[in-house]
Every structure is written in structure tokens, then in C-alpha cells.
Amino acid sequence: MFNGTRSMLKKIASVIFDIDDTVKPVAQLKLLEDYAGKFNFETKTTDVAELLKVLKKKHLVDEIVVSTMNGSSIVSTNGNAVSDAVTGAALFNYIQSELPKSRSVLIQSNGWYMLFPHLNKLYIVRAAANLAGVELKALAKEIDSFLVARDVN
């Protein structure tokens, strides 16, 4: 009985005090460090298709679509850019209308679909595993700096 009470109190305390007892995924981080150390990801290019190809490998993602917030495609790694941009923008804007403080949308369906805004653009990323917010922002910053330097909007 004491163990049951103790377990219940721990659960209540974790909710009240927002205790995070997750463990750092050391094995996964080591794997990513090894991967990054073995390859050279040259992002200094003048071709957007080449940049996106390198970023896909660098960030271990399957597809990247960048659109305006209203669904106009800017750049993409796949042939369904227009369709993905319109669908992604409609979905993200709907979520924003229902949950105005949301910063990103993650959908798990045969992999992960991640939708997030950055500097008035919507980034739609598909990958086998979900990416952390920091990595999504890094990906967006790399693409955005390329687009701004070449005045592609």
C-alpha cells in the first residue's frame, strides 16, 4: 500500500511542479555526432536545389517545402510543392486559428510531418523521426539566409 501511495504522490508532484524526469538520449546524440563528423555538408552553393539536397542529408529529412503563409510555394525538394504548400498552409493556419499561441505542428503519419513558421514563411518538413525545435530553426535559418542573399521570395 505504501508503494502505491508513494507512486501516486510522485505523479501528483510531477504534474504540480512540472518535473521532467526524461533521460538525455546519449546513444542517439553520439550517433548523430558520428554521422556529422564523417560527412562534409557544403552549403555554400548558388543552386537552391543543391542546397536543399545537402540540407536533407545534413538534417536527415526526406522532404523540405518552403511556402508563404498563404500557401504559395517558394522552394521544394519534391514534385508536389504546390499541393504540399497549400495543404500545409491551410492546416497550419487552421491550427493557429484554434490555438493561437502554437509555434509548430507535428503530425505522425508514416513518418513525421512538421510545420512551423519562420520569418513569414512556412516550413514543411517530412522525416522518419521528429526533429527538435532547435534543429527545425537551424534548418529554416540556413534556407532563409540563402533565399535572402539571392532575393528569392
Side-chain angles (χ1 to χ4, degrees), residues 67-86:
S67 75
T68 62
M69 294 303 285
N70 66 7
S72 300
S73 175
I74 298 173
V75 295
S76 171
T77 61
N78 64 27
N80 300 327
V82 174
S83 174
D84 289 348
V86 169

Side-chain angles (χ1 to χ4, degrees), residues 24-143:
K24 185 190 228 183
V26 176
Q28 290 175 328
L29 291 173
K30 186 157 182 71
L31 177 69
L32 289 175
E33 287 173 1
D34 289 344
Y35 177 77
K38 290 179 182 177
F39 298 100
N40 180 21
F41 301 106
E42 184 57 53
T43 57
K44 303 240 187 288
T45 179
T46 58
D47 181 26
V48 71
E50 183 63 29
L51 174 72
L52 293 176
K53 182 178 172 184
V54 169
L55 292 177
K56 279 176 55 175
K57 289 179 185 175
K58 181 179 180 181
H59 294 279
L60 299 172
V61 299
D62 299 323
E63 292 179 12
I64 302 169
V65 177
V66 181
S67 75
T68 62
M69 294 303 285
N70 66 7
S72 300
S73 175
I74 298 173
V75 295
S76 171
T77 61
N78 64 27
N80 300 327
V82 174
S83 174
D84 289 348
V86 169
T87 303
L91 181 60
F92 186 80
N93 289 326
Y94 172 73
I95 298 293
Q96 279 291 115
S97 71
E98 296 296 319
L99 303 165
K101 293 184 180 181
S102 59
R103 295 185 307 227
S104 62
V105 176
L106 280 75
I107 302 165
Q108 185 177 18
S109 174
N110 294 330
W112 285 89
Y113 289 86
M114 296 155 278
L115 301 102
F116 63 100
H118 181 72
L119 299 177
N120 297 320
K121 294 179 188 74
L122 181 65
Y123 290 79
I124 304 159
V125 178
R126 188 177 66 80
N130 62 327
L131 278 64
V134 172
E135 191 166 7
L136 290 171
K137 285 182 183 179
L139 176 67
K141 284 181 180 181
E142 287 180 283
I143 295 171

